[in-house]
Amino acid sequence: MNQAGFVDLIRHCYEEDRHELFLLALSITRCSDTAEDALHTAFERLLKRRKVPRELRPYVFRCVRNAAIDEVRRRKRGRECIVADPPTDSCARHEDVRLAQCLQELSDSERECILLKIKGDLTFKEVAEVCNVSINTASSWYRRGLAKLRDMLTEDTP
Amino acid sequence: MNDIERRIKDLSTKQASERLDRRIDTLLRNSEAKFERGFPRVVSWWQCLAAMLLCVIGGYVLHAAMPASKTPPESPVTQIFLMQSPDGNGQAARQTRQDVFFTDPSKIQVFQIEYQQTSFSDNSI
C-alpha cells in the first residue's frame, strides 16, 4: 500500500469510529479537552507508524486507549460525565445520568470492556486485543461490570 | 442483549467535536503533504544491518588494499653495539640506546645511553 492509501485508510478509520474513539478516551480521561488531545496523539503515532496492522480497527482503539492513559498520567483525571447534555428535569435524562454515573463507578477495565463491546461494537476477541488481555479475562470483566451495574441500578429503584 | 446492555447502547454520550475533526483533518493533510514532498522513508532493522555489514566489509577491503605503513614501535627500541675499544686493549663497550619516538616534534627524542665497561681476557671481539 502506498503512503496516500495509508493516510486514506486512517482517515476512513477515524470517520467511521470517531464518536466511539472519543467516548473511550473520555471515559478514561473524564475530560473532553484531554480526550481530544489523546485522540490527536494517537493518530499522530498511527501516522508515524506507516504500517497497516492486520486488525486495524482494534489497533486504533488500542492506540487511543494507550494515548488516553498516557494523558491521564501526565495530567490529573477530570470529573466530566460521558453523557451528552447537562441533565434536565426529564426522567429519561435522569436515568441516563444515573447510568453514566454507575458506569464511572466501575473499575477502568470493566468500564472499558463494556463501552468497547456495546458502544464500539467490538467482538470479545477485539476487546481483548485492545485491552491486551485474554478473551476470557475480557469477557469476565464485561460480565462482572454488567452485574455490578445491575446491582447498582436495582438499589436505586424503590 | 439484555435491558442494561440496551440502555447503554441507547445512552446518548458526548461525541467528537468539530474542533477535533478539524485537528485530525489537519494532521492527516500535513501527513499527506509530507509524503508528497518525499518524506524520508523509515529504515527497517534489516536495512540498517545490511548497511552496517557493507561498511565493515568496505573498511576491511580498503584496509587490505592500502600499503603497509611504517608505524613506530610501541616500546622503545634497544640496540646493543659491541665495539672495539680504541686503545685495543680488549675493552669493549656496550651501548644501550633506547629511542623513544614522539609524534609531537616539539618534544625532543630521549636517548638513554648507558656505557658499560667490560673486561675481556682476549681480543676476540
Side-chain angles (χ1 to χ4, degrees):
Chain A
M1 179 182 289
N2 63 10
Q3 306 294 7
F6 175 70
V7 175
D8 283 343
L9 195 67
I10 298 294
R11 186 190 297 278
H12 177 74
C13 200
Y14 173 74
E15 282 167 2
E16 284 289 303
D17 289 322
R18 64 189 207 274
H19 297 313
E20 290 76 18
L21 292 169
F22 177 74
L23 178 63
L24 175 67
L26 180 62
S27 75
I28 295 168
T29 60
R30 297 186 196 176
C31 169
S32 293
D33 291 340
T34 316
E36 286 186 5
D37 287 349
L39 244 82
H40 188 267
T41 310
F43 276 86
E44 209 170 17
R45 288 178 189 166
L46 265 171
L47 288 166
K48 274 183 190 162
R49 195 173 185 266
R50 285 175 215 173
K51 199 175 173 186
V52 183
R54 208 175 294 161
E55 300 280 341
L56 182 62
R57 199 161 174 254
Y59 185 80
V60 173
F61 272 93
R62 188 171 172 172
C63 275
V64 170
R65 178 181 178 265
N66 291 345
I69 291 169
D70 289 347
E71 289 291 336
V72 167
R73 281 181 190 148
R74 279 196 292 160
R75 309 177 195 184
K76 210 175 174 182
R77 181 176 270 193
R79 290 177 171 272
E80 209 173 304
C81 185
I82 59 168
V83 177
D85 300 311
T88 59
D89 292 337
S90 75
C91 186
R93 178 60 56 201
H94 217 74
E95 281 181 4
D96 277 0
V97 172
R98 179 62 195 141
L99 180 59
Q101 282 172 349
C102 292
L103 271 169
Q104 299 288 30
E105 284 173 32
L106 297 178
S107 72
D108 289 347
S109 44
E110 288 164 352
R111 185 176 52 255
E112 280 167 26
C113 276
I114 288 171
L115 290 178
L116 287 168
K117 179 82 178 68
I118 300 175
K119 297 295 265 186
D121 275 330
L122 264 67
T123 62
F124 274 124
K125 185 173 174 279
E126 288 171 333
V127 172
E129 211 170 303
V130 173
C131 298
N132 200 21
V133 290
S134 69
I135 299 174
N136 286 338
T137 308
S139 61
S140 70
W141 280 347
Y142 177 78
R143 278 197 306 274
R144 203 183 306 150
L146 280 186
K148 280 184 189 174
L149 275 180
R150 196 175 294 117
D151 289 346
M152 282 188 262
L153 293 169
T154 314
E155 280 172 16
D156 290 349
T157 49
Chain B
M1 190 177 273
N2 64 32
D3 178 49
I4 293 174
E5 285 172 314
R6 202 170 297 111
R7 277 180 66 183
I8 294 169
K9 185 84 182 166
D10 296 339
L11 185 68
S12 70
T13 52
K14 282 179 184 162
Q15 297 189 334
S17 64
E18 280 182 22
R19 188 181 66 172
L20 178 64
D21 290 350
R22 280 198 300 273
R23 279 178 74 179
I24 300 293
D25 187 55
T26 309
L27 187 70
L28 292 164
R29 276 177 198 279
N30 286 346
S31 194
E32 273 174 340
K34 268 183 190 173
F35 292 145
E36 279 164 16
R37 282 201 303 267
F39 194 73
R41 292 181 60 184
V42 177
V43 181
S44 59
W45 67 269
W46 62 267
Q47 284 170 323
C48 274
L49 189 70
M52 279 169 68
L53 272 173
L54 272 175
C55 283
V56 169
I57 293 167
Y60 185 76
V61 168
L62 268 175
H63 185 260
M66 276 170 68
S69 60
K70 273 189 175 178
T71 50
E74 289 178 6
S75 58
V77 175
T78 305
Q79 291 176 330
I80 300 172
F81 299 97
L82 290 173
M83 293 183 295
Q84 185 74 41
S85 61
D87 54 3
N89 63 358
Q91 291 285 322
R94 194 176 73 179
Q95 180 189 359
T96 303
R97 201 183 92 176
Q98 288 183 322
D99 294 349
V100 182
F101 294 89
F102 292 96
T103 50
D104 186 356
S106 66
K107 291 183 180 173
I108 304 163
Q109 284 189 333
V110 176
F111 293 94
Q112 185 184 334
I113 301 167
E114 181 189 319
Y115 289 99
Q116 193 173 20
Q117 289 192 339
T118 312
S119 298
F120 290 92
S121 55
D122 56 14
N123 289 335
S124 61
I125 297 175

